[in-house]
Amino acid sequence: MRAIVAIRVKAGVMAGLLAGALTACSSTSSGLPYKPAAQPAGATVSAAYTIVSDRLRVEIDGRGRRVERAQIVKPDGTVLEAQTIEYTPASRGGGSPVSIGFGVGSFGSMGGGVSTGVGVSTGGVVGGGGSSEVGSSIASFPLAQAGARPWRVRVKLVGVESADVLVGEPDGTPNPR
């Protein structure tokens, strides 16, 4: 009987640690570090960037509004259009799309065996067919043409005026705005 209790406690501790780790790794759409100096009327925009190989990928969060256009405005005034814009589905329910469950059971007349299990679901749907709501969008630019950072990314959301977001400031930290 002590072995079963010890296994149940251990499984509970493991599930708790896994839940904490996944919560720490989950992202929220409002957490993107770069914001325009002035938000467009009727919308909120934030952005982040990553460099993947020879591509500059700018994640844009329009709080549910679809990105109509994304451009990099260079210091000389020329404009570089995004080559692609990928749309991600919005997560449902307002909370984290990650869920965790675990179970413990015993079998046999004298408790001759014990089984435990831990499962994790990310709430994704295999094969698509998800929501029509827009989460964040990712605009992709050729890094060589984008030039050196920081990049002034002009974002046009459907139904609102464009906003410029300064992304990748030289010191590596976003301006708190």
Side-chain angles (χ1 to χ4, degrees):
M1 185 65 172
R2 275 192 246 177
I4 293 172
V5 171
I7 289 173
R8 286 182 180 170
V9 170
K10 189 174 185 179
V13 169
M14 288 174 53
L17 290 173
L18 183 58
L22 290 172
T23 300
C25 292
S26 67
S27 65
T28 61
S29 62
S30 64
L32 300 180
Y34 299 101
K35 296 170 180 46
Q39 291 287 357
T44 301
V45 179
S46 60
Y49 77 96
T50 56
I51 295 175
V52 179
S53 186
D54 63 343
R55 313 288 304 157
L56 169 63
R57 294 173 50 92
V58 179
E59 181 178 0
I60 303 164
D61 178 18
R63 297 281 176 100
R65 289 188 181 264
R66 190 173 183 86
V67 174
E68 189 175 297
R69 186 177 213 172
Q71 305 168 311
I72 291 179
V73 181
K74 296 184 178 188
D76 66 0
T78 60
V79 176
L80 175 65
E81 295 284 341
Q83 286 186 330
T84 61
I85 299 176
E86 303 167 33
Y87 301 100
T88 62
S91 63
R92 293 260 183 209
S96 173
V98 177
S99 61
I100 299 172
F102 71 94
V104 179
S106 65
F107 58 91
S109 62
M110 302 296 284
V114 176
S115 64
T116 63
V118 176
V120 177
S121 171
T122 59
V125 177
V126 177
S131 167
S132 62
E133 295 178 32
V134 176
S136 61
S137 303
I138 300 178
S140 184
F141 302 91
L143 184 59
Q145 293 176 27
R149 65 180 191 164
W151 302 280
R152 182 165 308 280
V153 180
R154 181 159 294 151
V155 177
K156 171 68 174 92
L157 302 176
V158 173
V160 297
E161 294 296 317
S162 298
D164 287 358
V165 182
L166 190 61
V167 176
E169 295 176 22
D171 63 359
T173 57
N175 218 356
R177 296 182 191 184

